[in-house]
Amino acid sequence: MDKYIIEGGKPLYGEVEIQSAKNAVLPLLAASILTDERVVLHRCPRIRDVMNMIGILDELGCKTRFEGDSLVIDSSDAVSHEIPSALAKELRSSIFMLGSVIARFGKARIAYPGGCDIGLRPIDLHLKGLKSMSVEITEDGGYINCSCVKLKGADVLLDCPSVGATENIILAAVKASGYTVIRNAAKEPEILDLQNFLNAMGAKVAGGGTSTVVVCGVKKLGGVEYTPMPDRIEAGTFLIASAMCGGEMLLKRTDANNIVSLIHKLREISCKIAVKDDKIEIKSSGVRKSPKIVETMPYPGFPTDLQAQMTALACISEGSTLIVENLFETRFKHVPELIRMGADITVRGRAAFVRGVKTLKGADVVASDLRGGAALTLAAISAEGQSSVTDLSHIDRGYSDFEYKLTELGAKIRRVHI
């Protein structure tokens, strides 16, 4: 196990280049098995979740290799329809493999997926959508077994705009006969990125990023070289770090349109932000007003994946902030750790009331999930004194070279093995 040792209280200055989006790359990796031709993903981050998904592809019989920061995937010899349970239990996004594996082999077997423990994330919407496309589904001993003689297009209405279910149904529909219409689809930009990737392979997908996605099935998909979209959550994490620590930061390879809700919040609390092309510049004096209310919502609302980081920011802002978590019921596991650092937070159900304090104090804290771990790291680099953040395996799931990038900006942070 690794941990960070952090000396806090340093302002952040400099530039940081944003990685490709974890939540875009994972469904693209799942989609790569839909063709027997070569797929190349440029700027592919070597984060833990991505490496686990690559491991699943390898177990299915694909050949994968890195050439610099480009991942090359050859699925021509893939033969297995069984997604290995050890990897599936490590990675929530392994569920994306269902739609693409069924489309490739006509059957699939997968263990119930794992990932961060941030509350119930039922997969019934995934299964309901696949059943409507003539997939027969049975469950036994913690496994899901799917089979289909022929995938058929369907009219699918999602009970809620689930990102994963939207993507899974798209992955199955691209090779189904006829048209598939997904209503109440999730609008996240990662879905548009998946659409663009699939269409570059020869698919016919329209409506990505809107509430209605239409897929016209095709018989064959070809190879593709593609650069995934930049990671809006990593970009948001660094913007919040700048707001907490003060200083000036330039983010390169970003898309400000995808984090408008965060940028508005940061401007409200006195940060100066300028956007030009794919760059975002932020200046912070270190004097912050309270954000008043932060309420997570499906895109384009405030992202749940930035809630923990905003909670950390609210801890050292002037005034009080109400944080409302609408998407996951146990996504406040970072709060007791922030309280150990001197934060003043009261949690009631899905809401946290944060009363700002002048500064946080260094403490030994433990990361229990990906975004909570990032929030604790930001709290530590802004705090007075020395802190440690233990169990970096969570942070490694979604951030590439996190401590290196923070060090380049002036933070005093190092990784040690324990």
Side-chain angles (χ1 to χ4, degrees):
M1 182 183 294
D2 289 354
K3 71 176 181 180
Y4 288 146
I5 303 295
I6 299 168
E7 292 288 342
K10 306 292 184 182
L12 302 180
Y13 291 92
E15 301 180 354
V16 60
E17 188 165 297
I18 300 304
Q19 68 188 30
S20 292
K22 174 182 88 80
N23 291 333
V25 171
L26 294 176
L28 301 190
L29 290 172
S32 68
I33 204 168
L34 291 168
T35 179
D36 56 8
E37 297 181 15
R38 193 177 81 144
V39 171
V40 181
L41 291 181
H42 297 298
R43 303 182 67 92
C44 183
R46 301 194 194 199
I47 54 179
R48 185 178 167 198
D49 274 8
V50 167
M51 300 310 293
N52 277 338
M53 187 67 95
I54 292 170
I56 291 175
L57 291 175
D58 291 340
E59 290 290 330
L60 295 177
C62 302
K63 296 186 177 86
T64 62
R65 70 179 187 277
F66 273 96
E67 295 180 355
D69 66 357
S70 297
L71 176 66
V72 181
I73 306 166
D74 179 359
S75 302
S76 58
D77 294 330
V79 292
S80 177
H81 68 280
E82 295 194 16
I83 299 160
S85 61
L87 290 171
K89 290 175 180 177
E90 286 289 318
L91 180 64
R92 174 72 189 180
S93 298
S94 61
I95 193 66
F96 294 144
M97 297 299 300
L98 265 186
S100 53
V101 171
I102 293 167
R104 174 74 180 263
F105 299 112
K107 54 186 176 180
R109 177 176 169 85
I110 185 174
Y112 274 93
C116 282
D117 181 15
I118 55 174
L120 296 173
R121 292 185 284 178
I123 61 172
D124 57 307
L125 295 180
H126 300 248
L127 303 184
K128 181 180 177 182
L130 293 172
K131 284 179 180 178
S132 70
M133 301 173 72
S134 301
V135 176
E136 294 184 3
I137 299 174
T138 60
E139 300 177 39
D140 69 88
Y143 284 84
I144 303 167
N145 300 297
C146 303
S147 63
C148 184
V149 175
K150 185 176 182 180
L151 281 168
K152 297 179 181 178
D155 196 317
V156 180
L157 174 63
L158 296 178
D159 294 331
C160 67
S162 162
V163 177
T166 300
E167 293 174 329
N168 219 342
I169 295 166
I170 291 173
L171 289 169
V174 289
K175 296 187 79 172
S177 62
Y179 283 86
T180 297
V181 180
I182 307 170
R183 305 183 191 277
N184 196 28
K187 301 176 184 178
E188 272 70 5
E190 291 82 5
I191 293 171
L192 177 58
D193 207 49
L194 175 61
Q195 171 182 295
N196 293 340
F197 176 81
L198 290 168
N199 287 347
M201 297 171 72
K204 297 179 179 179
V205 185
T210 75
S211 60
T212 302
V213 178
V214 180
V215 184
C216 177
V218 299
K219 292 184 177 181
K220 182 177 175 60
L221 295 175
V224 65
E225 292 195 25
Y226 192 82
T227 302
M229 62 177 280
D231 196 316
R232 61 194 174 102
I233 304 304
E234 188 195 30
T237 299
F238 278 100
L239 289 174
I240 294 170
S242 180
M244 293 181 69
C245 296
E248 298 181 14
M249 190 185 301
L250 178 67
L251 278 61
K252 300 189 294 184
R253 192 177 177 259
T254 63
D255 188 341
N257 293 319
N258 293 336
I259 48 174
V260 168
S261 59
L262 172 65
I263 289 173
H264 278 289
K265 288 292 181 187
L266 295 179
R267 283 175 172 157
E268 286 175 12
I269 66 170
S270 303
C271 293
K272 295 181 179 179
I273 299 176
V275 176
K276 184 177 181 181
D277 300 325
D278 66 344
K279 298 179 178 63
I280 303 174
E281 183 180 40
I282 179 169
K283 297 180 181 179
S284 171
S285 65
V287 178
R288 297 156 296 273
K289 299 178 183 177
S290 163
K292 302 304 180 189
I293 184 168
V294 177
E295 186 170 6
T296 65
M297 300 290 286
Y299 188 86
F302 194 89
T304 182
D305 280 349
L306 289 175
Q307 176 261 105
Q309 299 91 311
M310 280 297 285
T311 302
L313 171 60
C315 289
I316 53 173
S317 297
E318 295 179 355
S320 300
T321 303
L322 177 64
I323 309 284
V324 182
E325 175 54 62
N326 289 306
L327 301 184
F328 296 110
E329 66 276 4
T330 61
R331 205 162 198 177
F332 285 124
K333 291 189 174 182
H334 51 283
V335 167
E337 303 301 290
L338 289 171
I339 291 173
R340 294 181 66 186
M341 302 180 73
D344 185 354
I345 309 172
T346 302
V347 175
R348 293 287 184 271
R350 295 192 180 213
F353 188 71
V354 186
R355 305 164 195 84
V357 297
K358 185 175 182 180
T359 184
L360 295 174
K361 307 294 185 181
D364 298 327
V365 296
V366 179
S368 60
D369 61 76
L370 167 55
R371 305 307 175 184
L376 294 175
T377 303
L378 300 194
I381 64 174
S382 69
E384 289 184 355
Q386 180 174 291
S387 300
S388 68
V389 181
T390 302
D391 201 352
L392 304 186
S393 61
H394 294 292
I395 296 172
D396 292 340
R397 288 186 48 235
Y399 293 92
S400 176
D401 300 321
F402 195 39
E403 67 271 20
Y404 173 78
K405 291 178 179 179
L406 288 170
T407 298
E408 288 290 294
L409 292 167
K412 300 298 182 181
I413 176 172
R414 58 189 175 92
R415 178 187 288 249
V416 298
H417 184 70
I418 55 175

